Structure formats: structure tokens, C-alpha cells
Amino acid sequence: MSAQLPLALALPKRPARGRADFRVSPSNEPAVRLIDGWRGWPGGALALTGPEGSGKTHLALVWADMAGAERVSAATLRAEDAPALVAAGAVAVEDADRLDGDRAAEAALFHLINLARAEAAALLVTGRAPAGAWPIATPDLASRLSAMMTVRLDPPDEALLAALLDKHFEDRRLAVPSELTRRLARRIERSAAAAAAAAARLDDAALRAGKPITWPFAKAILGL
């Protein structure tokens, strides 16, 4: 008689965000190598880019922990915040491509970049597209961002996609066999966002149905 998988339970979700929880593959290894070697960034700054859900926030958290960096959203940044942020010796500014013409936020980011350079503080800036393509209205800021060393998180390969599925299931405390996640990785859209969405849908469906996540169940729920 085959062993039954545990049923899904309504347990708290605890996303793992440490360095050991970031799954490395050829699609993200260049970015991980630069994050690990952050003390050697040219000019002390790096722009980390990649599509939605590609792991930018997780990697920024990893870097912030290593460097003792402060983290801030670009949209909430104000010029008066810069001295305190730079005083930490390292700053991560997330979603700098989403300023939407906010002149105050752009001026604050420009001031922060200049202050970080003057004080030799490390600076990590994240966004979806390459920094030179961000819709920045301030020419001097656009120039500063375009000049930064940039590394991109590419869409996950199949091995990384399976690892991401494993991570999402672990975060949700779901016991899902690795063979099932590998099969899912071959069928779903090759993106980190798709892996997160698939895990969330299966978690919700298994909880509602009171069933374990098996391959026939996953196929039916995800329409594979």
C-alpha cells in the first residue's frame, strides 16, 4: 500500500529570505556572484534588474544582511532621508523604475547617489528593465543610473524553476515530492512569478478540497 501524502493545513506562511534559501542556477549566478563580491563594485554601486518575481527583493535582502545596509522603496524616498541612510555605510533602493515622474523622489534618489559616492557608501538599486530604460524625467539622475554597473536576473531555467517551486511549497509548509515539482517546472510558464502563483493556487485548492497535492490534482487545478 502506497504512503499517503499529508493533507494541506492552514499553517502560517513563512517565506525564507536568507542567503542559504536563495537557489542559484546559471540564470542568476552572475548576479549572485556580484552580490557576494559587493565590496568590489565599480564606484560602489550596482543596479540589479530583472522581471517581476525574479528574486530581486530576496537578493536585496541577502545583500542588506551581508552589508548591514538600510533598505528603502524609491517611491517613498525623500532627500532628508539620505544622510541617515548613507550613515549605515550601505543602502538598497528598491523599485527605482517605478517613480512615475515623481520629481521629489527623483531629486531624493539623485541626492542619495551623490551622497553615497561622496561618503564611499555602497549602493544597490533595483528595477525591472535595464537602468538606462527606466522612465526617469531628471536628466542628471538618468545619467547617473545609466552609468552604474548593471546585472540582470534572467528568467529561471527548468532546474531553478523546480527549486523555486520547492521553496514556495516549503514556505507554505506543504509536503510535495520533488518529482512532482520537476514535472510542474516542465509545464508551467518559465517565470518566478508563475512558480509563486502555481504554489499559491495549489495550496488554496488543496486546503479547500482537503486533499494532498498529487500530480493528477495539480494537473486539474492548473489546467496542465
Side-chain angles (χ1 to χ4, degrees):
M1 182 175 180
S2 62
Q4 292 294 309
L5 296 176
L7 296 181
L9 300 176
L11 295 171
K13 282 69 171 175
R14 295 183 178 179
R17 295 293 193 182
R19 175 65 176 83
D21 303 300
F22 192 88
R23 312 303 168 90
V24 182
S25 82
S27 63
N28 63 26
E29 192 274 336
V32 173
R33 188 172 63 248
L34 279 170
I35 290 294
D36 284 342
W38 63 275
R39 295 183 187 279
W41 294 347
L46 178 72
L48 175 65
T49 69
E52 191 76 27
S54 61
K56 295 187 299 298
T57 293
H58 189 166
L59 207 49
L61 282 163
V62 168
W63 179 73
D65 184 59
M66 285 194 301
E70 296 289 339
R71 292 174 53 241
V72 64
S73 167
T76 64
L77 182 63
R78 291 298 178 261
E80 57 267 26
D81 302 329
L85 292 169
V86 169
V91 189
V93 181
E94 298 192 67
D95 300 323
D97 60 330
R98 299 184 181 185
L99 295 180
D100 298 323
D102 183 336
R103 291 284 187 169
E106 289 192 5
L109 181 55
F110 182 65
H111 177 52
L112 178 65
I113 292 171
N114 289 338
L115 188 59
R117 179 182 295 181
E119 298 294 329
L123 176 65
L124 177 69
V125 182
T126 74
R128 291 164 295 179
W134 294 348
I136 301 295
T138 307
D140 286 343
L141 174 59
S143 177
R144 287 279 194 280
L145 292 169
S146 297
M148 279 186 188
M149 173 182 248
T150 299
V151 66
R152 179 174 174 80
L153 287 165
D154 288 328
D157 52 35
E158 188 175 300
L160 179 56
L161 197 58
L164 289 173
L165 285 164
D166 282 334
K167 177 186 179 300
H168 288 304
F169 288 135
E170 289 167 9
D171 289 347
R172 293 173 175 276
R173 300 185 179 183
L174 296 172
V176 179
S178 58
E179 174 57 30
L180 193 154
T181 61
R182 288 195 295 270
R183 294 177 76 175
L184 284 174
R186 291 193 289 269
R187 299 288 193 92
I188 66 173
E189 173 190 306
R190 192 160 290 184
S191 75
R201 286 181 63 188
L202 291 173
D203 185 10
D204 181 65
L207 183 61
R208 289 175 183 274
K211 294 181 178 180
I213 298 175
T214 62
W215 177 241
F217 182 84
K219 283 179 62 180
I221 296 300
L222 300 178
L224 302 177

